[in-house]
C-alpha cells in the first residue's frame, strides 16, 4: 500500500519546473542599459546579451555568412572570415531597407540561440537585453519590458566621454533610433538614469523585485 501511495505521489509531481518569465531590457545609446544589466546579474538573475551574442553568431554561423554576403557583398567579411562591422554599419546606416533585411537575417538566429539559453536557466526571471526590443516588437514575446532612459544631453555627453565622438555624431545615431517618448509609451517599467549609480541601482532593485 505504501509503495502504491509513493507511486501515485510521484505521478502527481510536475514533470518539470515552470518556464521562467522573460523580461525584456532595452535602452538607447548612452542610457546606461548595460550598467543596469550588470546590476541585475548582481541581484542574482541571468541576463542574455542579445547584441553581444549577435556579434558571435554572425561569425560562427556559416548560413548567416552566406546570406549576409549575398545581401551586402563579399566585403561584409574580411579576408580572415570575420564580420566586417565597420563596412556593414556604413552600408546600412542610411538605408532602412537594407537594415531591415539584415535584421531579418540575423535576428531569427539570435532568437533560436536565446530559446536554447532560456532552457538552461533555473531562476524564475530571466532578462533579455536588446537595443531593438520595441523596434522589432520583441516586447510582445516578453512577460514585462524594462526601459532604461535618460535626458538626451546626459546621454550624448556619456557617449562623447566614452567613445570620443562629437556631439553631432552621437546626435546622428540617436536620430536613427526610436524616439524615447514612443519607447516610454510601450514600456511596462521605466528606469530614469539621470543622477548617479546608487540611485540607478536602487531603481533597478525595486523594479525587478516588484515583478510578480
Amino acid at each position: 500500500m505504501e509503495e502504491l501511495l509513493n507511486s501515485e505521489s510521484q505521478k502527481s509531481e510536475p514533470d518539470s519546473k515552470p518556464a521562467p518569465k522573460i523580461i525584456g531590457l532595452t535602452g538607447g545609446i548612452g542610457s546606461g542599459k548595460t550598467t543596469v544589466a550588470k546590476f541585475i546579474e548582481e541581484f542574482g538573475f541571468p541576463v542574455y546579451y542579445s547584441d553581444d551574442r549577435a556579434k558571435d553568431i554572425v561569425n560562427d554561423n556559416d548560413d548567416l555568412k552566406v546570406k549576409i554576403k549575398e545581401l551586402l557583398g563579399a566585403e561584409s567579411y574580411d579576408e580572415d572570415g570575420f564580420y566586417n562591422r565597420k563596412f556593414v554599419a556604413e552600408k546600412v546606416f542610411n538605408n532602412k531597407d537594407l537594415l531591415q533585411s539584415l535584421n531579418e537575417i540575423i535576428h531569427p538566429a539570435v532568437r533560436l540561440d536565446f530559446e536554447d539559453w532560456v532552457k538552461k536557466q533555473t531562476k524564475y526571471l530571466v532578462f533579455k537585453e536588446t537595443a531593438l526590443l520595441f523596434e522589432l516588437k520583441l516586447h510582445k514575446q516578453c512577460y514585462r519590458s524594462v526601459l532604461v532612459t535618460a535626458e538626451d544631453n546626459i546621454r550624448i555627453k556619456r557617449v562623447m566621454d566614452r567613445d570620443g565622438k562629437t556631439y553631432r555624431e552621437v546626435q546622428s545615431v540617436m536620430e536613427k533610433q526610436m524616439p524615447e517618448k514612443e519607447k516610454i509609451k510601450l514600456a511596462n517599467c521605466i528606469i530614469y538614469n539621470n543622477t548617479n549609480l546608487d540611485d540607478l541601482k536602487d531603481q533597478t532593485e525595486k523594479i525587478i523585485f516588484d515583478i510578480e
Side-chain angles (χ1 to χ4, degrees):
M1 184 65 176
E2 186 177 346
E3 290 179 2
L4 180 60
L5 288 172
N6 286 338
S7 175
E8 290 299 323
S9 174
Q10 288 172 5
K11 287 179 183 177
S12 65
E13 290 178 1
D15 292 333
S16 60
K17 292 170 60 177
K21 293 175 179 176
I22 298 168
I23 312 301
L25 174 66
T26 194
I29 186 171
S31 65
K33 166 173 58 76
T34 302
T35 302
V36 168
K38 298 302 180 187
F39 286 151
I40 289 169
E41 290 181 315
E42 284 184 28
F43 291 125
F45 296 96
V47 178
Y48 179 89
Y49 293 89
S50 299
D51 304 327
D52 289 344
R53 282 299 298 146
K55 292 174 185 177
D56 294 332
I57 290 169
V58 293
N59 282 313
D60 299 338
N61 188 311
D62 290 335
D63 288 339
L64 285 192
K65 286 186 178 183
V66 171
K67 291 176 181 177
I68 291 171
K69 286 179 181 179
E70 287 176 350
L71 177 69
L72 301 175
E75 289 180 76
S76 304
Y77 287 82
D78 62 25
E79 57 187 16
D80 295 318
F82 290 105
Y83 191 62
N84 188 341
R85 195 163 306 283
K86 185 175 185 295
F87 170 81
V88 172
E90 290 173 352
K91 287 279 284 189
V92 304
F93 188 71
N94 288 308
N95 191 321
K96 288 184 177 180
D97 291 337
L98 265 185
L99 178 59
Q100 181 177 340
S101 296
L102 181 63
N103 284 335
E104 288 172 355
I105 291 172
I106 295 175
H107 287 284
V110 175
R111 185 186 70 247
L112 291 174
D113 184 72
F114 172 69
E115 289 172 356
D116 288 341
W117 177 85
V118 169
K119 292 174 184 175
K120 301 171 185 174
Q121 306 309 313
T122 58
K123 294 289 187 177
Y124 68 96
L125 296 180
V126 298
F127 289 77
K128 183 177 187 178
E129 179 265 359
T130 175
L132 300 176
L133 184 72
F134 299 123
E135 290 86 339
L136 297 177
K137 297 180 171 42
L138 299 175
H139 62 293
K140 294 184 177 181
Q141 303 166 16
C142 299
Y143 178 71
R144 292 283 188 275
S145 59
V146 177
L147 170 68
V148 185
T149 189
E151 295 173 6
D152 286 355
N153 284 340
I154 292 175
R155 293 169 58 203
I156 290 172
K157 184 177 187 309
R158 284 177 186 150
V159 180
M160 289 173 63
D161 292 344
R162 182 188 71 196
D163 299 341
K165 293 183 180 294
T166 66
Y167 186 97
R168 182 60 197 144
E169 285 173 334
V170 182
Q171 193 176 48
S172 179
V173 173
M174 288 172 60
E175 286 170 355
K176 301 288 183 185
Q177 298 181 337
M178 180 185 287
E180 291 298 289
K181 61 183 180 181
E182 290 184 29
K183 293 181 183 178
I184 288 171
K185 289 178 183 177
L186 293 169
N188 297 122
C189 309
I190 303 169
I191 294 174
Y192 292 96
N193 184 18
N194 292 317
T195 54
N196 55 60
L197 288 177
D198 288 339
D199 177 59
L200 184 64
K201 190 170 186 176
D202 288 344
Q203 288 187 68
T204 303
E205 182 178 21
K206 184 177 189 313
I207 279 179
I208 63 177
F209 286 106
D210 278 351
I211 294 173
E212 297 180 355

